[in-house]
Amino acid sequence: MHRHPLSLGPLVVAVLAVGLARAAGAAEPAPSFDRDVRPILSDTCFQCHGPDGVKRQAGLRLDRRESAIAEAASGARAIVAGDPAASEILARIRSDDPDVVMPPPEAKLGRLDAAQVEILTRWIAAGAEYEPHWSFQAVKAPALPAETPGSGGHPIDRLVAARLAARGMTLAPEADRATLVRRATFDVTGLPPTPEEVRAFVADDAPDAYERLVDRLLASPRYGERMAADWLDVARYADSYGFQVDRDRPVWWWRDWVIDAFNKNLPWDDFVTWQLAGDLLPNATDEQ
């Protein structure tokens, strides 16, 4: 669980770079199967043409390229890479014949809108390449735009500044130091800074003042509490059952473990493994 907010994740850079290219009016790349196409097919097609062999219709799997581009018994191909006009999937999607149109009316999934059809058309025209799920793909850092005045030189700031410039906008002025210490303290600890902490940061004109501020906040036990709050919400943690007699639910020790895990910067794989299957680890400790 690498936690330093000043570090730049390559995925963040990649996402911002895609937005920058679009905002700048550059030629859009072919739609990504994983980001753009899979959600459409999953919502509207996989119910009948997905991985479930029991519900699959016409022997067609659209979640696998080899099936999607294969010739059917009728001689048609759902997807003809590079040729949208010959792709049966688009003909079916665009059809007004209730006996032909996909998804079929009885599925009650609705018609694909124009934007979705356009994405599928461009994707097929570009070769209909499939991709594994994003979590199995290596993240690649894109090329950064040139530094613009006022961007500060940080990679994220450079991406944001370039995207704003493409829209005729500029970065907002840098916040004053009292605002910076307040924002950072709320973000990292969930609590406001004390008046003494504000005064100390405002008076600290060293080049690394902000970095030292963040390091101090990360070292606070309040950091773990702030980070754990979101995790506990996702897990629906509560100190009582919340219904019927609403009796006590004594699992506070797990709450404290989560807080401590963040404060110790426990590696993410351990953080998840210990919670889901820690009892299956060889010679598991009580903590695991």
Side-chain angles (χ1 to χ4, degrees), residues 40-41 45 62 77-80 82-96 100-102 111-114 116-125:
I40 298 174
L41 298 182
C45 304
L62 291 174
R77 297 177 186 268
I79 294 174
V80 179
D83 191 349
S87 298
E88 184 68 13
I89 186 174
L90 292 177
R92 294 294 190 102
I93 288 171
R94 291 168 172 156
S95 176
D96 293 321
V100 174
V101 66
M102 291 291 167
R111 298 290 300 267
L112 272 68
D113 60 35
Q116 292 174 315
V117 175
E118 192 265 343
I119 287 173
L120 293 178
T121 302
R122 289 176 47 229
W123 172 67
I124 292 173

Side-chain angles (χ1 to χ4, degrees), residues 21-224:
R22 291 178 176 175
E28 287 195 64
S32 160
F33 175 80
D34 195 49
R35 184 189 65 238
D36 305 311
V37 177
R38 191 198 305 272
I40 298 174
L41 298 182
S42 178
D43 289 346
T44 60
C45 304
F46 285 178
Q47 179 175 310
C48 298
H49 301 294
D52 190 337
V54 176
K55 296 182 179 180
R56 189 178 306 135
Q57 301 294 315
L60 173 63
R61 289 190 65 167
L62 291 174
D63 61 316
R64 290 188 174 178
R65 191 175 194 272
E66 58 269 25
S67 173
I69 65 174
E71 183 175 323
S74 64
R77 297 177 186 268
I79 294 174
V80 179
D83 191 349
S87 298
E88 184 68 13
I89 186 174
L90 292 177
R92 294 294 190 102
I93 288 171
R94 291 168 172 156
S95 176
D96 293 321
D97 184 341
D99 294 326
V100 174
V101 66
M102 291 291 167
E106 59 268 22
K108 298 183 179 180
L109 295 173
R111 298 290 300 267
L112 272 68
D113 60 35
Q116 292 174 315
V117 175
E118 192 265 343
I119 287 173
L120 293 178
T121 302
R122 289 176 47 229
W123 172 67
I124 292 173
E129 293 297 330
Y130 278 62
E131 298 169 313
H133 191 270
W134 64 264
S135 62
F136 297 107
Q137 297 182 50
V139 178
K140 299 178 181 179
L144 291 171
E147 185 174 343
T148 56
S151 68
H154 192 282
I156 289 182
D157 289 336
R158 287 167 59 181
L159 286 165
V160 172
R163 183 169 182 178
L164 289 174
R167 297 182 175 183
M169 304 166 67
T170 59
L171 287 168
E174 183 175 340
D176 61 80
R177 295 181 71 78
T179 301
L180 284 176
V181 65
R182 182 174 173 82
R183 287 176 178 172
T185 308
F186 267 119
D187 192 43
V188 179
T189 70
L191 299 170
T194 65
E196 293 76 20
E197 290 170 338
V198 173
R199 285 193 290 268
F201 181 70
V202 170
D204 188 349
D205 57 2
D208 64 342
Y210 186 75
E211 284 74 10
R212 286 188 288 105
L213 165 66
V214 174
D215 287 338
R216 176 178 64 78
L217 295 174
L218 291 174
S220 166
R222 304 288 85 80
Y223 165 77

Side-chain angles (χ1 to χ4, degrees), residues 7-22:
S7 63
L8 176 64
L11 182 57
V12 173
V13 177
V15 171
L16 287 171
V18 169
L20 171 61
R22 291 178 176 175

